[in-house]
Amino acid sequence: MDVGGNGGGLIVNNKQRAMLPNKSRGEFVRNQRKDSEGFSESPDLEFEYADTDKWSAELSELYSYTEGPEFLLNRKCFEEEFRTHVSDKKWTELDVAQHRAHAMRLLDGLEVIAREKRLKVARAILYMAQGTFAECSSEAEVQHWMRYNIFLLLDVGTFTALVELLNMEVDNSAACSSAVRKPAISLADSTDLRVLLNIMYLMVETIQQEDPADSPEWRATRETFKTELGSPLYNNEPISVMLFGMVTKFCSGQAPHFPMKKVLLLLWKSILFTLGGFEQLQNIKVRKREQLCLPPLPEDSIRVIRSMRAASPPASASDLIEQQQKRARRDHKSLTKQDNLDAFNEKDPYKSDDPREDEDDNDDNDNSMEVEPFPMERDEVMPPPIPHPPSERVNFPKGLPWAPKVREKDIEHFLESSRSKFIGYTLGNDTDTVVGLPRPIHESIRTLKQHKYISIAEIQIAKEDEFQKTPLSGGEEDVEMCSTELLYQGILPSLPQYMIALLKILLAAAPTSKAKTDSINILADVLPEEMPTTVLQSMKLGVDVNRHKEIIVKAISAILLLLLKHFKLNHIYQFEYMAQHLVFANCIPLILKFFNQNIMSYITAKNSISVLDFPYCVVHELPELTAESLEAGDINQFCWRNLFSCINLLRILNKLTKWKHSRTMMLVVFKSAPILKRALKVKQAMMQLYVLKLLKVQTKYLGRQWRKSNMKTMSAIYQKVRHRLNDDWAYGNDLDARPWDFQAEECALRANIERFNSRRYDNNQSNPDFLPVDNCLQSVLGQRVDLPEDFQMNYDLWLEREVFSKPISWEELLQ
C-alpha cells in the first residue's frame, strides 16, 4: 500500500505537496478543495478505546489462518464420540441432562493414558467450546451455543482438568528436547498445547463477557470462576503465574515449540478478567480515595478522553496557497518559483532511518511564523477551526478539558522561592506561614491550594516511610488479599525475568525489527508443516504472519499496561518495582523503536482475511480466494488492534517516565521528539493526547530553537494536556532538572523498593536487630547446640589453643 500519498486519511503539508509530480499535484489540490467544501476533510478515526475489541474479533484472533483445516478435524472427533455414546440426534436437540452426561463422559476421557486418545477427546471438547458450529446457520447462533456449552463445561469441572493437562505438557521434557533439536518448528509441534490453550482461552473469554440475559446461576458461576482464576488454587499459584512461567521457558530456548501467541492471549484475558479493566480501575481508585479520606477525583478521565476531539488536519492545499500569497503581499515577497518546488527530493517524509533527519522536516522550522499574528495559522497539529454551521458549533467544549492539578511539593517550592525573594529566609516544609509576603502571593497560594491534588501513591509512600522508621511500634500492616496482591506475590520472585521475556517477544514482533539469527522464533504456531508452493499460498501466509505479530504486540502491550495500572493502585512500590525492571530491560528505547516507522501505514494495515475469520468461516461457504481479494484486505478505515497497541505502548511510556527526570532524559537522548511528532499524524484524540504528554515532559530539555520551530506542537500541548499550575514545562528553568541527580534518583528508588519488598514479603527477617532476644541465662545455657563433626573430632586442639594457652585475668572480669 502506498502510504506516501494522500491515502488512508494521511495528512499532507506544503513540502509534501511540492514533492508530487505536476499532474498529481493538480489533482491533489482539486480533491482537497472538494473535500474542504464538503466539510469532509480528513475525518477523525472512528475508534473507541476499550478493554478489548468486539467479542467476534477477539475470538477470531485466537486462530491463525493455517489452523483452518483443524475446525473440521475437531468436528470429526466430536461426532465420532457423540455417535458412539448417544443416538443419532443432533446436539442441539438434546435436553440439559443429556448434554451434561455427555460432557462428563468427555471429561472422563481426558484421563486416559494414551496420548492419541486423549487428544481426540480434547478436540471433541474444543468443538463443543466452538459452539458445535456444524448445527448452526449463523454467527449469532454459534455464539449462543458457545456460551451454553462453555458454562456447561465449566460446571462439570473441565477447566481444572485442562490446567492439569497443560502442566503435564509444559513439563514434557521429551517434547521440549525434540523441539530444541529440530531445525524448523511448525504448527504440528504444538498440537497438544494449542488444543488445550484454545479451550482455556475460549472459556475465559466467553465467561467474562457479561450478558443482561444471563441467568442468576451463570452470574454466580462467573464470579466464582473469576475468584478461582485469581487465587492460588492451581499448583498453589494463580493461573497467570503458570502462564508467565511458560513465557520465560519459551524465551530461554528450552521450549521453542510453545504457541506463544495463544499463551499471551490467555495470559492477557486472565489478568483482565481477574483484576478488571479500565472501568473497574476507575471504580477501585474512587473507592480507595474514599477509604483514605481523600477528596473525590476532579473528573472521570475515561469520559474526558472519550469526549475529546482529535486535532484538526492542516488546511487544504488551496487554503495554504492563499495564505502564502497573503503573506507574500504583506511582506512584499514573491512566491517561490515552481521549478524550485519541484527540486525537492521525493522521499517519504514520515519514514527515516535516522531520527535526527526528521528534526528539520515538514514546515516546522519555517521562521516566518514570527511575523504571523497567530502561530496557529499554519499549524499541522492545531490549524484554525474549519467554519461549521451554527448547529455544530455548540458541540465544541468551552475551556480546557482537564481541571488543573498542584502537588504539595509545588506549593512548597513556590513558598520557598517567594520567602527567599521577598524576606530572605526559608521555613522548610511549612506551607501555611505567609507572614511578610505580599498580598498577590497570598492569593497565589490560595489558588494553588484550591487545586491541590493528593494522590493515593503519596499516602502509600508516607505510610511506608512510617513503617520503616518504626518497625516495632508501627503495628501490623493490614494488607488486603485482593487478586492484584495475590498476583504480585506470585510473580515477585521472578518478575525481572518475566519482564525481560515479554520485551524480547515484543522486540521480535515489532515491524521495525530486522530478522536476526539470534532472535527468538515467534512463528512456531503459524508456519505450516509444508511451506507454500503457489503465489496465492505465499500471500496468504504473509498476511497470516503479519497478523500473528500484530496480535502478539496487542497482547503484550495490554498485559504490561494492565499490570502497571493495577500495581500502582494496589501499592506504589509494586508499580515502581515492575516499572524499574522494564526500564532496566530497555523498554523505553524499544517502544521508541516501535514508533520509528510509518505509523499511519501500521495503523491502516490490512493484515486480515475476513472470510477466514472464526466464526464466519465455519457457517458460510468460503469464496475462492484470489491474489486481488487478498491485496484488497478489509474495508475498515484502520486496524483496531494496531491502534489499540499504539495507544497502550504510549500509555506505558507515559507511566514509566512520569515525574522521573532520569527517564525523561532517556526520551531526549534517544531523540524521541521527531518520532513522537510523526505519531501526531494519526487523527485520533486519545493517541494524540498521550503523544503530547510525552512531548510536554521533555520540552524543557529540547532547547529554545526547538520550541521556537515547533510552536504548533506547543499550542497543541496547551490545548490538550492537563495544566499543572506553576509547572515550568515550556522554558527549562526547573531546578529539579539538574543532571547530576539522575543516577541518585534511580538508586534511591531502588533502595526504597527493596526495603518495601523485604519488609512485606521476605519471611526470613534479614535484619537481626528486629528478631526477639532471649535474655534468660538458664534457657540460653540449656539450649542444645549441634556442633559440626570436624569440630568435635578436633575439640582437644580447640581447647588447648583457645582456652588453656590463653591467660585469663579474672580480676578484670569481676571489675
Side-chain angles (χ1 to χ4, degrees), residues 56 59-79 120 122-135 142 146 187 194-195 198-199 202 261-262 540 544 547 609-620 622:
S56 56
L59 294 178
S60 69
E61 289 180 357
L62 174 63
Y63 311 101
S64 58
Y65 296 142
T66 44
E67 285 181 274
E70 295 189 13
F71 290 124
L72 292 177
L73 185 56
N74 299 339
R75 174 187 169 184
K76 184 182 171 187
C77 291
F78 174 82
E79 287 176 349
K120 277 189 173 182
R123 283 195 179 282
I125 292 174
L126 176 55
Y127 177 70
M128 278 182 67
Q130 288 170 341
T132 52
F133 51 78
E135 301 172 27
V142 172
M146 275 183 72
L187 208 61
R194 282 188 297 105
V195 171
N198 280 345
I199 305 169
L202 289 173
K261 183 189 83 172
K262 295 181 191 297
K540 181 182 164 188
D544 208 2
R547 174 177 177 267
I609 308 167
S610 54
V611 293
L612 296 181
D613 284 341
F614 178 88
Y616 183 93
C617 64
V618 293
V619 291
H620 295 92
L622 295 185

Side-chain angles (χ1 to χ4, degrees), residues 290-307:
E290 284 176 1
Q291 289 173 353
L292 295 170
C293 301
L294 292 172
L297 291 165
E299 71 272 299
D300 185 336
S301 56
I302 295 173
R303 288 179 185 169
V304 172
I305 293 172
R306 281 180 182 165
S307 64

Side-chain angles (χ1 to χ4, degrees), residues 164-196:
E164 290 171 5
L165 280 176
L166 184 63
N167 264 318
M168 200 166 71
E169 290 297 332
V170 168
D171 297 333
N172 186 347
S173 55
C176 292
S177 56
S178 168
V180 168
R181 288 195 301 270
K182 276 194 172 185
I185 299 168
S186 69
L187 208 61
D189 296 298
S190 59
T191 304
D192 294 39
L193 282 164
R194 282 188 297 105
V195 171
L196 296 174

